[in-house]
Amino acid sequence: MEIMLRDWLDSDAEWYVQQARDPETLRFTTERESLTVEEFRAALHRLRHDDDALGYVVVDATAGIRLANIAAARKGDVASVSYWVAPAARGQGVAGRALKELCQRVADTWPVTEIRLWTHAENLASQRVAENAGFIACTGDGETKEIKGRQWPVRWYRRGPARTE
């Protein structure tokens, strides 16, 4: 399956909220089960007016079916990326291809020296995605990050902005 990153539309909001409530997405991301369509649309409005943020829906390039969420935020010369894949699209290489494309867009859009991401320490699939996209682990076991009011075990990754094939 070939994928494409496209801008979010307001009409994608219900799909986003429904997919974000998936138990695995909730377990491994910052998404909240209480997220509403209105909150997501407000976030889209902010995204469209923020020069330091990129956000896309990943779609099947042929059928246009929504598959995943992927985003980047810039602070200074460092960009941070995040992603999740809808349950029906998992295990098909969607995240890896989307992450490589997003890293290229980051490099084309911003003068960054580094791209970072973190994964929950138990999210082995996401760690493989990061490594296959050219990210290198930069922390070991025992690192934590406050997420949803709790300390989560995480792994941090980084890479340069150049495209990795």
Side-chain angles (χ1 to χ4, degrees), residues 23-39:
E24 289 297 297
T25 301
L26 292 170
R27 178 179 177 208
F28 291 132
T29 72
T30 61
E31 296 291 359
R32 296 178 294 110
E33 189 171 9
S34 61
L35 179 69
T36 67
V37 169
E38 294 76 23
E39 288 172 324

Side-chain angles (χ1 to χ4, degrees), residues 15 19 22 25 66-69 84-92 94:
W15 179 87
Q19 300 306 310
D22 167 70
T25 301
R66 295 172 288 220
L67 306 169
N69 166 58
W84 54 254
V85 177
R90 290 182 185 145
Q92 300 176 47
V94 170

Side-chain angles (χ1 to χ4, degrees), residues 24-124:
E24 289 297 297
T25 301
L26 292 170
R27 178 179 177 208
F28 291 132
T29 72
T30 61
E31 296 291 359
R32 296 178 294 110
E33 189 171 9
S34 61
L35 179 69
T36 67
V37 169
E38 294 76 23
E39 288 172 324
F40 180 73
R41 286 187 179 137
L44 282 182
H45 178 76
R46 289 189 303 276
L47 172 69
R48 291 175 183 134
H49 296 89
D50 187 343
D51 292 337
D52 291 321
L54 301 172
Y56 304 99
V57 59
V58 182
V59 299
D60 178 307
T62 304
I65 297 168
R66 295 172 288 220
L67 306 169
N69 166 58
I70 194 155
R74 177 178 66 153
K75 187 172 185 178
D77 64 351
V78 176
S80 298
V81 297
S82 61
Y83 52 88
W84 54 254
V85 177
R90 290 182 185 145
Q92 300 176 47
V94 170
R97 291 191 303 275
L99 183 56
K100 287 177 183 178
E101 175 63 27
L102 179 64
C103 288
Q104 184 60 49
R105 289 185 185 202
V106 164
D108 292 345
T109 304
W110 299 319
V112 297
T113 59
E114 185 174 87
I115 303 172
R116 296 180 185 166
L117 68 81
W118 63 268
T119 70
H120 190 289
E122 295 173 7
N123 192 344
L124 301 180

Side-chain angles (χ1 to χ4, degrees), residues 98-157:
L99 183 56
K100 287 177 183 178
E101 175 63 27
L102 179 64
C103 288
Q104 184 60 49
R105 289 185 185 202
V106 164
D108 292 345
T109 304
W110 299 319
V112 297
T113 59
E114 185 174 87
I115 303 172
R116 296 180 185 166
L117 68 81
W118 63 268
T119 70
H120 190 289
E122 295 173 7
N123 192 344
L124 301 180
S126 190
Q127 292 169 30
R128 282 191 301 275
V129 166
E131 291 165 2
N132 289 337
F135 284 81
I136 298 170
C138 56
T139 59
D141 293 334
E143 184 80 18
T144 63
K145 177 176 178 62
E146 185 174 334
I147 306 292
K148 302 178 192 176
R150 298 189 335 254
Q151 291 297 316
W152 281 18
V154 297
R155 298 229 170 175
W156 285 93
Y157 289 83

